[in-house]
Protein backbone atom coordinates (compact mmCIF):
# COMPACT_ATOMS: atom_id res chain seq x y z
CA UNK A 1 0.00 0.00 0.00
CA UNK A 2 1.42 3.37 -0.94
CA UNK A 3 -0.27 6.31 0.76
CA UNK A 4 -2.88 6.12 3.50
CA UNK A 5 -4.75 8.77 5.43
CA UNK A 6 -5.85 8.25 9.02
CA UNK A 7 -8.42 10.86 10.01
CA UNK A 8 -9.65 11.65 13.50
CA UNK A 9 -10.39 14.35 15.98
CA UNK A 10 -7.63 13.26 18.44
CA UNK A 11 -8.96 15.50 21.23
CA UNK A 12 -6.72 14.63 23.01
CA UNK A 13 -4.29 12.15 21.37
CA UNK A 14 -4.24 8.93 23.44
CA UNK A 15 -2.09 5.80 23.67
CA UNK A 16 -4.90 4.09 21.71
CA UNK A 17 -4.53 6.60 18.85
CA UNK A 18 -0.74 6.25 18.87
CA UNK A 19 -0.95 2.48 18.69
CA UNK A 20 -3.29 2.65 15.66
CA UNK A 21 -1.08 5.31 14.02
CA UNK A 22 2.05 3.16 14.39
CA UNK A 23 0.28 0.01 13.15
CA UNK A 24 -1.18 1.91 10.17
CA UNK A 25 2.22 3.43 9.41
CA UNK A 26 3.72 -0.07 9.23
CA UNK A 27 1.29 -0.89 6.39
CA UNK A 28 2.11 1.97 4.03
CA UNK A 29 4.93 4.03 2.52
CA UNK A 30 3.39 7.31 3.60
CA UNK A 31 0.79 7.97 6.31
CA UNK A 32 -1.07 11.23 6.69
CA UNK A 33 -2.60 11.71 10.11
CA UNK A 34 -5.42 14.14 9.35
CA UNK A 35 -6.77 16.12 12.28
CA UNK A 36 -10.30 17.40 11.74
CA UNK A 37 -13.51 18.47 13.39
CA UNK A 38 -16.10 15.90 14.36
CA UNK A 39 -19.28 17.98 14.13
CA UNK A 40 -20.96 15.96 16.87
CA UNK A 41 -18.15 16.94 19.30
CA UNK A 42 -17.55 20.44 17.93
CA UNK A 43 -19.09 22.36 20.84
CA UNK A 44 -17.17 20.39 23.40
CA UNK A 45 -13.57 20.62 22.30
CA UNK A 46 -10.67 20.59 24.74
CA UNK A 47 -7.86 21.49 22.33
CA UNK A 48 -7.79 23.55 19.16
CA UNK A 49 -6.94 21.73 15.93
CA UNK A 50 -3.53 23.48 15.94
CA UNK A 51 -2.79 22.23 19.46
CA UNK A 52 -3.74 18.65 18.53
CA UNK A 53 -1.55 18.82 15.40
CA UNK A 54 1.34 20.13 17.49
CA UNK A 55 1.00 17.31 20.05
CA UNK A 56 0.72 14.60 17.37
CA UNK A 57 3.72 15.98 15.45
CA UNK A 58 5.76 15.80 18.63
CA UNK A 59 4.59 12.24 19.35
CA UNK A 60 5.34 10.95 15.82
CA UNK A 61 8.50 12.88 15.03
CA UNK A 62 10.68 9.74 15.07
CA UNK A 63 8.69 8.36 12.08
CA UNK A 64 9.59 10.42 8.98
CA UNK A 65 6.93 8.81 6.78
CA UNK A 66 4.16 10.01 9.10
CA UNK A 67 2.90 13.53 8.41
CA UNK A 68 0.37 15.21 10.66
CA UNK A 69 -1.87 17.80 9.03
CA UNK A 70 -5.07 19.69 9.87
CA UNK A 71 -8.03 19.44 7.52
CA UNK A 72 -11.42 21.07 7.11
CA UNK A 73 -14.34 19.92 4.99
CA UNK A 74 -14.92 16.37 3.81
CA UNK A 75 -12.21 13.87 4.64
CA UNK A 76 -12.42 12.26 1.19
CA UNK A 77 -11.75 15.62 -0.49
CA UNK A 78 -8.65 16.01 1.66
CA UNK A 79 -7.62 12.40 0.92
CA UNK A 80 -7.90 13.12 -2.83
CA UNK A 81 -5.88 16.32 -2.45
CA UNK A 82 -3.10 14.36 -0.70
CA UNK A 83 -3.39 11.53 -3.28
CA UNK A 84 -4.13 8.98 -0.55
CA UNK A 85 -5.06 5.52 -1.84
CA UNK A 86 -7.08 4.55 1.22
CA UNK A 87 -8.46 5.75 4.55
CA UNK A 88 -7.52 3.86 7.70
CA UNK A 89 -9.52 4.05 10.91
CA UNK A 90 -9.31 2.39 14.30
CA UNK A 91 -12.17 0.55 15.99
CA UNK A 92 -12.27 -0.07 19.73
CA UNK A 93 -15.15 -2.52 19.63
CA UNK A 94 -18.66 -3.20 18.45
CA UNK A 95 -19.97 0.15 19.75
CA UNK A 96 -17.83 1.94 17.14
CA UNK A 97 -18.75 -0.35 14.26
CA UNK A 98 -22.15 0.78 12.99
CA UNK A 99 -21.31 4.48 12.86
CA UNK A 100 -17.95 3.80 11.22
CA UNK A 101 -19.60 1.41 8.74
CA UNK A 102 -22.03 4.13 7.67
CA UNK A 103 -19.23 6.65 7.24
CA UNK A 104 -17.10 4.20 5.27
CA UNK A 105 -20.01 3.38 2.94
CA UNK A 106 -20.88 7.07 2.46
CA UNK A 107 -17.25 8.01 1.86
CA UNK A 108 -16.91 5.24 -0.72
CA UNK A 109 -20.13 6.23 -2.44
CA UNK A 110 -19.13 9.87 -2.86
CA UNK A 111 -15.46 9.31 -3.75
CA UNK A 112 -14.65 5.68 -4.52
CA UNK A 113 -12.10 5.73 -1.68
CA UNK A 114 -12.10 2.62 0.51
CA UNK A 115 -11.72 2.59 4.31
CA UNK A 116 -9.68 -0.10 6.04
CA UNK A 117 -10.24 -0.78 9.74
CA UNK A 118 -7.78 -1.83 12.43
CA UNK A 119 -9.13 -3.12 15.73
CA UNK A 120 -7.49 -1.55 18.78
CA UNK A 121 -5.09 -3.64 20.76
CA UNK A 122 -7.10 -5.00 23.71
CA UNK A 123 -4.96 -3.08 26.18
CA UNK A 124 -6.17 0.20 24.68
CA UNK A 125 -9.80 -0.64 23.90
CA UNK A 126 -11.11 1.05 27.08
CA UNK A 127 -9.48 4.40 26.21
CA UNK A 128 -11.65 7.16 24.80
CA UNK A 129 -11.10 10.90 24.63
CA UNK A 130 -14.38 11.43 26.51
CA UNK A 131 -13.30 9.22 29.41
CA UNK A 132 -9.92 10.94 29.55
CA UNK A 133 -11.52 14.38 29.80
CA UNK A 134 -13.78 13.11 32.59
CA UNK A 135 -10.88 11.55 34.54
CA UNK A 136 -8.84 14.72 34.11
CA UNK A 137 -11.72 16.92 35.20
CA UNK A 138 -11.94 15.05 38.51
CA UNK A 139 -8.18 15.13 39.00
CA UNK A 140 -7.50 11.41 38.38
CA UNK A 141 -4.13 10.25 37.07
CA UNK A 142 -3.96 9.83 33.28
CA UNK A 143 -0.99 7.48 33.46
CA UNK A 144 -1.45 4.67 30.94
CA UNK A 145 -4.14 6.62 29.05
CA UNK A 146 -2.17 9.41 27.39
CA UNK A 147 1.57 10.14 26.98
CA UNK A 148 3.01 12.31 29.80
CA UNK A 149 3.39 15.33 27.47
CA UNK A 150 -0.34 15.18 26.62
CA UNK A 151 -1.26 14.77 30.31
CA UNK A 152 0.68 17.97 31.04
CA UNK A 153 -1.15 19.86 28.26
CA UNK A 154 -4.50 18.58 29.60
CA UNK A 155 -3.74 19.68 33.16
CA UNK A 156 -2.84 23.15 31.87
CA UNK A 157 -6.22 23.37 30.09
CA UNK A 158 -8.44 22.37 32.97
CA UNK A 159 -9.59 24.81 35.65
CA UNK A 160 -7.53 24.58 38.83
CA UNK A 161 -9.49 23.13 41.76
O1 LIG B 1 -11.90 10.67 15.97
P1 LIG B 1 -13.30 10.92 15.43
O2 LIG B 1 -14.03 11.93 16.30
O3 LIG B 1 -14.08 9.66 15.24
O4 LIG B 1 -13.06 11.59 13.99
C1 LIG B 1 -14.16 11.84 13.15
C2 LIG B 1 -13.73 12.56 11.85
C3 LIG B 1 -13.14 13.94 12.15
C4 LIG B 1 -12.69 11.71 11.13
C5 LIG B 1 -15.02 12.66 11.00
O5 LIG B 1 -16.01 13.35 11.73
C6 LIG B 1 -14.78 13.33 9.65
O6 LIG B 1 -14.27 12.70 8.76
N1 LIG B 1 -15.16 14.61 9.55
C7 LIG B 1 -15.01 15.39 8.33
C8 LIG B 1 -16.35 15.48 7.56
C9 LIG B 1 -16.58 14.19 6.81
O7 LIG B 1 -15.92 13.91 5.84
N2 LIG B 1 -17.52 13.37 7.34
C10 LIG B 1 -17.81 12.07 6.78
C11 LIG B 1 -18.91 12.14 5.77
S1 LIG B 1 -19.70 10.63 5.74
Amino acid sequence: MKTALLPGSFDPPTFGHLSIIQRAAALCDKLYVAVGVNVSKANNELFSIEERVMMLKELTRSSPHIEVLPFTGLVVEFAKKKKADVLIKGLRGSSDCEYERMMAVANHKISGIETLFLFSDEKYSHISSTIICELAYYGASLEGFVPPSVATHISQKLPKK
Side-chain angles (χ1 to χ4, degrees), residues 23 36 79 128 156:
R23 287 168 57 203
S128 80
Q156 287 164 353

Side-chain angles (χ1 to χ4, degrees), residues 7-10 17 34 36-39 41 71 73-76 89 99-100 102-103 106-107 110:
S9 46
F10 306 105
H17 292 135
V37 173
N38 180 334
V39 283
K41 304 175 185 167
F71 79 99
L74 288 175
V75 68
V76 290
K89 297 202 85 178
Y99 176 65
E100 291 294 346
M102 286 191 294
M103 271 214 288
N107 281 335
I110 60 178

Side-chain angles (χ1 to χ4, degrees), residues 111-129:
S111 70
I113 299 178
E114 298 283 7
T115 303
L116 301 184
F117 291 101
L118 295 176
F119 274 105
S120 295
D121 188 309
E122 226 169 79
K123 63 178 184 268
Y124 301 122
S125 58
H126 60 291
I127 300 180
S128 80
S129 298

